[in-house]
């Protein structure tokens, strides 16, 4: 391909994160055999040497003059989208477009997106965003930081995104935000420097390093970090903090424990001499290049969740809540040789994982055909009677998380078997993204319509009990136009939709639970499940689908044997969270549950049999959800019932220990997953841990009797080191098994399968 890249940021020298990112992307394009021309909009001053370096690096260099004095805020205190795109710039780019035919035009930053409209039809238009600029000034003001560079309104940014054929986000959080704003497909393209770590020489002093520019965001975080570090104790432990780059001025003057180094040319020597790199970043957006760079050079790294945002971190020391907590982790590192080994091991593993991810993200840029395939994504229809947009109960959270993960590979519409309100539609749109639609099939006022059943719908007995003729007819009408390459049916009770004509090209059943196993589990404890189905009938129904999704590994293994080649493991996913502070005094033990028999029975058992044996330790049991109706908090001291909470995140943020005392039910417990992903130490029954493998004793504690439940809980309450060990193990286990990457593999498979089936209409 002949590619043109238009950028207000130079590629040389690579002494800032955005320059490094742009240089790496252009270098990748050239490595794929493409011709790369670079149009540098001279908003930044660079030396003659840098200009010559750019001229040597790229196939052609266009230097476009730019007058920053003409920048204005045409929306009062806020920039409009094109306020940094004056007529002179438009004319210069129009001249380039007239002189040469390009296969691909890539524009850096949304405030130059007007350039995409100046090229003829047939040109692939790609926008590399770097950051979210909508309301960026408000985010900085909230941190007490000065507002610089570009910022605009959400509507203006969305207008710029819509100018592209393809939008590039630098991390998944930003991809999800852009998907809610634009009608264009959005993909994540991260950045990992291609460097060869130099062998370092280790001296008697352990060197901790920070490399950053002199921008106010860096200064704010670094100052808070140094203030919390206790430099004298650091020096006494045989460690020192080396600060390099423009940020050195925030570390001056030099004193015991701290060494300001000033500016650097090549950073490789700096990283080669480090034992640990730190990034205490607070606030701001975008991928933190200094974190990625340190990992690429092979350094162990400790930092905040913001510093590791978008990298798929799985260790608690890669997700500290703030600069002060980062300082505490660095003190621990300087004093504990075992912890130093863990940080080194986990940092190296993260670097390898992220490098593989970036290589995969870059692959479509090898050819125009691959990029066009990326843009022309398959469209799927999800069918459910669950109001997933509420995102509170386990089944709602599962479907919402699945849609957010899936829309990175496919476009989703949702057919809801009910009557959504206008507020429901707005909430659902956020889950589906702007490329998705919520379609409603309200049904009949009198309830389910059992018939007539069309002759081609050869229902099983179970399906006949749940069949709704009005919903079935609405679904068949939707299938007539041939828009969808695949249909995902939520739960086996709606499996009768598989009989529709015309048949969906790719029929997918999301099981959530194997209901026959759940039925048997309930019967074992003398309970009757609301859905009753035999193992033979359930497997027979599943055999009528091209793919079956299993939410956890145990059920995936069962289905993989029963349905060879048709079971996909699609775990529940939880967005990146900051781990719980496990060293604080324990005040709250928590349980979250809906109004189900297993939750009610489990809570009653715990309140009557286990809680009285731990209540003397000065803690309280806080319960949220409809399960609260199962017990009377006035009858048992130390129990607080919250009912359905408006913000479950806030409820769990205040928790110190989680419990799941259910002893029957089957299926993965979403509340258990929530505990793990926020690093909350928890005590589970065997049933509460069903579907989890390899984490017992490291990521969670399992109690097989009342005595064990009481003993585990008392130990966790009393022992902060045990809480820290289990909490850090939980965070690592949750990230590895229920992070976003765990679901993406299944959706990549579904997307590829969907592309192989014929679709009647686009």
């Amino acid at each position: 391909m002949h590619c043109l890249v238009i950028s207000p940021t130079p590629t040389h020298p690579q002494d800032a994160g955005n320059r490094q990112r742009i240089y790496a992307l252009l270098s990748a394009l050239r490595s794929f055999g493409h011709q790369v021309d670079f149009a540098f909009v001279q908003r930044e001053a660079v030396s003659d040497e840098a200009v010559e370096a750019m001229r040597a690096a790229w196939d052609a260099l266009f230097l476009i003059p730019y007058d920053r004095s003409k920048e204005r805020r045409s929306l009062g205190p806020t920039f409009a989208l094109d306020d940094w795109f004056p007529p002179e710039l438009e004319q210069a780019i129009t001249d380039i477009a007239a002189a040469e035919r390009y296969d691909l035009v890539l524009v850096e930053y949304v405030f130059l997106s007007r350039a995409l409209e100046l090229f003829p039809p047939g040109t692939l238009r790609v926008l590399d965003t770097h950051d979210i600029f909508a309301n960026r000034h408000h985010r900085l003001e909230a941190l007490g930081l000065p507002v610089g560079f570009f910022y605009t309104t959400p509507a203006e940014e969305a207008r710029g995104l819509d100018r592209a054929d393809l939008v590039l986000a630098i991390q998944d959080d930003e991809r999800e935000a852009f998907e809610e704003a634009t009608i264009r497909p959005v993909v994540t393209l991260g950045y990992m420097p291609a460097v060869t770590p130099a062998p370092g020489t280790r001296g008697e002093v352990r060197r901790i390093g920070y490399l950053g520019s002199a921008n106010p965001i860096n200064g704010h975080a670094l100052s808070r970090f140094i203030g919390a570090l206790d430099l004298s104790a650091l020096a006494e432990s045989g460690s020192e903090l080396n600060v390099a780059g423009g940020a050195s001025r925030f570390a001056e003057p030099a004193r015991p424990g701290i060494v300001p180094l000033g500016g650097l040319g090549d950073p490789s020597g700096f990283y080669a001499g480090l034992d640990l790199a730190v990034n205490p970043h607070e606030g701001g957006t975008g991928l933190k290049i200094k974190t990625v760079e340190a990992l690429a050079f092979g350094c162990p790294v400790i930092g905040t969740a913001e510093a590791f945002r978008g990298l798929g971190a799985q260790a608690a020391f890669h997700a500290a809540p703030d600069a002060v907590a980062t300082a505490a982790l660095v003190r621990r590192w300087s004093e504990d040789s075992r912890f130093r080994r863990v940080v080194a091991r986990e940092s190296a593993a993260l670097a390898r994982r992220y490098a593989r991810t970036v290589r995969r993200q870059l692959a479509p840029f090898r050819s125009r055909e691959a990029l066009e395939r990326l843009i022309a994504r398959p469209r799927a229809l999800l069918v459910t009677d669950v109001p997933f947009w509420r995102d509170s109960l386990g089944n709602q959270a599962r479907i919402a998380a699945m849609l957010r993960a899936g829309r990175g590979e496919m476009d989703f519409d949702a057919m809801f078997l009910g009557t959504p309100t206008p507020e429901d539609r707005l909430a659902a749109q956020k889950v589906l993204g702007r490329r998705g639609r919520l379609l409603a099939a309200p049904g009949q006022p009198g309830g389910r319509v059992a018939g007539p059943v069309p002759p081609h719908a050869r229902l099983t007995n179970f399906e006949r009990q749940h069949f709704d003729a009005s919903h079935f007819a609405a679904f068949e009408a939707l299938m007539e136009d041939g828009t969808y390459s695949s249909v995902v049916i939520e739960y086996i009770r709606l499996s009768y939709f598989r009989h529709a004509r015309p048949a969906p090209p790719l029929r997918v059943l999301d099981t959530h639970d194997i209901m026959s196993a759940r039925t048997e589990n309930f019967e074992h404890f003398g309970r009757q499940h609301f859905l009753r189905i035999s193992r033979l009938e359930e497997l027979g129904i599943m055999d009528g689908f091209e793919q079956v999704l299993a939410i956890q590994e145990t059920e995936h293994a069962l289905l993989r044997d029963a349905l060879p080649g048709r079971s996909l493991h699609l775990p529940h996913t939880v967005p990146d969270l900051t781990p719980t502070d496990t060293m604080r005094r324990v005040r709250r033990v928590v349980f979250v549950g809906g109004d189900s028999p297993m939750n009610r029975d489990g809570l009653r058992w715990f309140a009557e049999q286990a809680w009285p044996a731990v209540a003397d330790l000065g803690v309280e049991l806080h319960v949220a959800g409809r399960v609260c109706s199962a017990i009377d908090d006035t009858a048992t001291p130390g129990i607080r019932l919250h009912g359905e909470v408006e913000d479950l995140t806030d409820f769990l943020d205040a928790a110190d220990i989680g419990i799941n005392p259910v002893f029957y039910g089957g299926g993965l417990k979403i509340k258990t997953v929530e505990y793990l992903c926020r690093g909350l130490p928890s005590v589970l029954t065997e049933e509460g841990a069903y579907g989890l493998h390899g984490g017992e004793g490291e990521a969670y504690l399992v109690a097989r009797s009342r005595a064990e439940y009481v003993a585990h809980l008392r130990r966790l309450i009393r022992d902060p080191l045990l809480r820290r060990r289990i909490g850090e193990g939980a965070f690592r286990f949750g990230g590895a098994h229920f992070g976003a990457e765990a679901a993406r593999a299944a959706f990549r498979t579904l997307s590829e399968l969907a592309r192989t089936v014929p679709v009647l209409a686009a």
Side-chain angles (χ1 to χ4, degrees):
M1 288 191 297
H2 191 183
C3 307
L4 174 68
V5 179
I6 303 170
S7 172
T9 300
T11 58
H12 293 71
Q14 291 103 50
D15 55 359
N18 55 352
R19 297 183 182 195
Q20 295 168 24
R21 150 72 174 207
I22 296 168
Y23 176 79
L25 178 52
L26 272 62
S27 298
L29 291 173
R30 290 208 71 197
S31 73
F32 295 150
H34 305 317
Q35 180 179 337
V36 177
D37 296 352
F38 186 61
F40 172 41
V41 179
Q42 295 176 286
R43 191 178 181 277
E44 297 182 29
V46 296
S47 66
D48 292 341
E49 292 80 7
V51 170
E52 291 309 309
M54 288 189 284
R55 200 181 305 280
W58 316 121
D59 294 287
L61 175 67
F62 301 99
L63 298 176
I64 303 177
Y66 185 89
D67 185 355
R68 292 175 63 169
S69 68
K70 294 183 178 180
E71 294 175 354
R72 64 197 189 282
R73 295 181 180 87
S74 60
L75 296 179
T78 306
F79 292 108
L81 176 63
D82 297 329
D83 279 351
W84 289 16
F85 202 91
E88 299 83 0
L89 176 56
E90 179 165 339
Q91 185 58 57
I93 294 176
T94 299
D95 292 344
I96 295 173
E100 188 67 61
R101 176 79 180 187
Y102 289 99
D103 300 292
L104 179 147
V105 173
L106 188 149
V107 168
E108 302 291 343
Y109 296 103
V110 72
F111 53 80
L112 293 190
S113 61
R114 168 70 180 132
L116 295 169
E117 299 180 319
L118 305 179
F119 291 84
T123 308
L124 287 179
R125 300 173 175 86
V126 180
L127 178 63
D128 191 13
T129 57
H130 286 263
D131 206 343
I132 297 174
F133 290 98
N135 293 331
R136 182 174 179 270
H137 53 311
H138 295 323
R139 296 193 295 276
L140 293 175
E141 288 167 351
L143 293 169
L145 297 173
V147 177
F149 208 54
F150 185 80
Y151 52 89
T152 190
T153 67
E156 287 288 279
E157 182 168 58
R159 187 162 65 88
L161 301 173
D162 287 347
R163 288 167 164 168
D165 297 316
L166 180 68
V167 176
L168 305 182
I170 201 167
Q171 56 171 304
D172 282 337
D173 282 1
E174 294 180 9
R175 171 182 60 79
E176 292 185 8
F178 289 141
E179 285 170 342
E180 294 176 15
T182 182
I183 59 174
R184 302 303 182 191
V186 187
V187 296
T188 302
L189 178 59
Y191 164 67
M192 188 68 168
V195 298
T196 302
T201 57
R202 299 291 179 260
E204 293 182 3
V205 176
R206 286 188 292 271
R207 294 181 62 198
I208 301 164
Y210 176 90
L211 171 60
S213 64
N215 72 59
I217 296 177
N218 288 345
H220 170 80
L222 184 60
S223 297
R224 278 174 43 79
F225 172 76
I226 292 173
L229 197 53
D230 189 350
L231 294 176
S232 59
L234 190 71
E236 289 174 7
S237 70
S239 302
E240 67 180 22
L241 175 64
N242 292 250
V243 182
S248 293
R249 69 184 182 90
F250 302 113
E252 294 173 342
R255 49 203 185 276
I258 189 164
V259 181
L261 297 176
L264 296 178
D266 181 1
S268 59
F270 174 73
Y271 286 117
L274 291 188
D275 297 282
L276 176 73
V278 295
N279 190 353
H281 190 90
E282 295 178 327
T285 54
L287 187 73
K288 307 309 178 292
I289 302 299
K290 65 175 70 69
T291 303
V292 174
E293 185 176 63
L295 289 169
F297 275 105
C299 283
V301 188
I302 288 175
T304 60
E306 283 297 328
F308 283 83
R309 187 76 64 193
L311 301 183
Q314 295 177 6
F317 46 79
H318 291 157
D322 55 28
V324 173
T326 304
L329 288 165
V330 170
R331 291 196 301 271
R332 179 182 167 193
W333 177 91
S334 69
E335 298 165 357
D336 185 344
S337 60
R338 179 183 176 279
F339 186 54
R340 289 196 289 273
R341 291 192 295 271
V342 171
V343 173
R345 183 180 68 242
E346 291 292 329
S347 296
L350 174 59
R352 290 192 297 270
R353 290 196 308 271
Y354 186 65
R356 287 195 300 269
T357 296
V358 173
R359 286 196 296 271
R360 187 180 64 249
Q361 292 167 345
L362 273 170
F365 286 84
R366 292 180 180 274
S367 70
R368 181 186 177 103
E369 293 73 22
L371 278 174
E372 289 174 338
R373 183 178 172 87
L374 192 66
I375 293 167
R377 308 195 308 176
R379 181 166 287 275
L381 178 69
L382 180 134
V383 182
T384 185
D385 56 4
V386 176
F388 57 84
W389 52 87
R390 295 176 187 167
D391 205 358
S392 55
L393 298 178
N395 57 353
Q396 296 167 4
R398 155 66 173 182
I399 298 171
M402 188 179 74
L403 286 168
R404 289 190 179 100
R407 72 189 191 193
E409 301 287 339
M410 310 166 71
D411 294 329
F412 272 95
D413 293 342
M415 180 179 178
F416 175 61
L417 309 181
T419 306
T421 66
E423 292 77 13
D424 289 338
R425 288 187 175 277
L426 288 174
Q429 194 68 62
K430 289 180 67 66
V431 178
L432 293 165
R434 272 199 63 199
R435 290 173 65 84
R437 300 175 298 164
L438 181 66
L439 310 171
Q444 297 300 314
R448 185 174 73 89
V449 180
V453 178
H456 58 266
R458 302 178 63 182
L459 306 177
T460 70
N461 289 334
F462 175 84
E463 289 174 327
R464 192 172 294 276
Q465 296 169 22
H466 298 275
F467 180 81
D468 187 304
S470 62
H471 288 155
F472 191 79
F475 180 73
E476 286 196 319
L478 201 55
M479 291 297 101
E480 286 288 345
D481 67 7
T483 299
Y484 301 105
S485 59
S486 57
V487 171
V488 180
I489 305 298
E490 285 302 324
Y491 312 153
I492 200 163
R493 66 173 178 269
L494 300 183
S495 64
Y496 62 85
F497 285 110
R498 69 190 171 104
H499 300 284
R501 294 290 181 270
L506 178 66
R507 294 168 296 184
V508 182
L509 176 67
D510 183 24
T511 59
H512 196 90
D513 287 316
I514 295 180
M515 287 299 173
S516 55
R518 195 173 171 92
T519 298
E520 294 165 2
N521 188 280
F522 269 59
E523 289 175 348
H524 178 76
F525 287 92
R527 301 292 191 272
Q528 182 169 311
H529 193 258
F530 71 98
L531 284 180
R532 296 178 61 79
I533 188 171
S534 70
R535 183 69 58 94
L536 184 63
E537 184 176 10
E538 185 169 29
L539 290 175
I541 290 172
M542 291 178 179
D543 194 42
F545 288 85
E546 282 71 43
Q547 290 291 315
V548 177
L549 306 179
I551 195 172
Q552 42 102 328
E553 295 175 7
T554 301
E555 294 181 352
H556 173 52
L558 189 155
L559 295 175
R560 187 177 52 213
D561 292 340
L563 306 166
R566 283 187 285 164
S567 175
L568 280 175
H569 181 210
L570 180 60
H572 177 60
T573 59
V574 175
D576 291 343
L577 297 167
T578 301
T580 300
D581 179 4
T582 52
M583 298 299 285
R584 68 193 180 195
R585 177 188 168 191
V586 175
R587 298 181 183 275
R588 288 191 174 202
V589 177
V590 302
F591 177 65
V592 180
D595 186 23
S596 64
M598 55 276 198
N599 284 336
R600 290 195 301 269
D601 289 348
L603 178 58
R604 287 192 194 105
W605 173 84
F606 181 82
E608 294 169 4
Q609 300 295 323
W611 182 248
V614 297
D616 64 303
L617 296 180
V619 297
E620 293 182 334
L621 174 64
H622 290 254
V623 185
R626 294 186 179 181
V627 70
C628 290
S629 62
I631 61 172
D632 178 4
D633 59 341
T634 62
T636 308
I639 297 181
R640 302 289 179 265
L641 303 180
H642 295 257
E644 289 192 271
V645 295
E646 185 173 336
D647 192 329
L648 186 59
T649 297
D650 286 347
F651 178 81
L652 290 175
D653 282 346
D656 299 301
I657 295 172
I659 62 165
N660 193 347
V662 299
F663 48 89
Y664 67 94
L668 184 72
K669 309 304 183 294
I670 301 299
K671 66 178 72 67
T672 299
V673 173
E674 291 272 359
Y675 297 161
L676 292 168
C677 289
R678 60 179 59 248
L680 188 64
S682 55
V683 182
L684 316 172
T685 57
E686 286 187 288
E687 181 61 36
Y690 181 73
L692 305 179
H693 298 277
E696 182 177 350
E698 296 295 328
Y700 49 87
L701 300 178
V702 176
R704 293 171 173 82
S705 67
R706 172 190 176 277
E708 271 196 315
Y709 218 117
V710 170
H712 286 333
L713 203 47
R714 290 185 70 90
R715 284 179 61 216
L716 277 179
I717 293 169
R718 287 173 159 174
D719 187 346
L721 294 180
L722 175 64
R723 290 198 304 276
R724 185 172 72 184
R725 180 174 68 80
I726 297 298
E728 289 178 349
F731 191 78
R732 186 178 299 110
F733 187 92
H737 292 82
F738 305 107
E741 183 56 36
R744 278 196 288 262
F747 276 112
R748 284 195 291 270
T749 299
L750 284 180
S751 179
E752 288 305 310
L753 288 172
R755 292 177 190 277
T756 65
V757 297
V759 181
L760 300 178

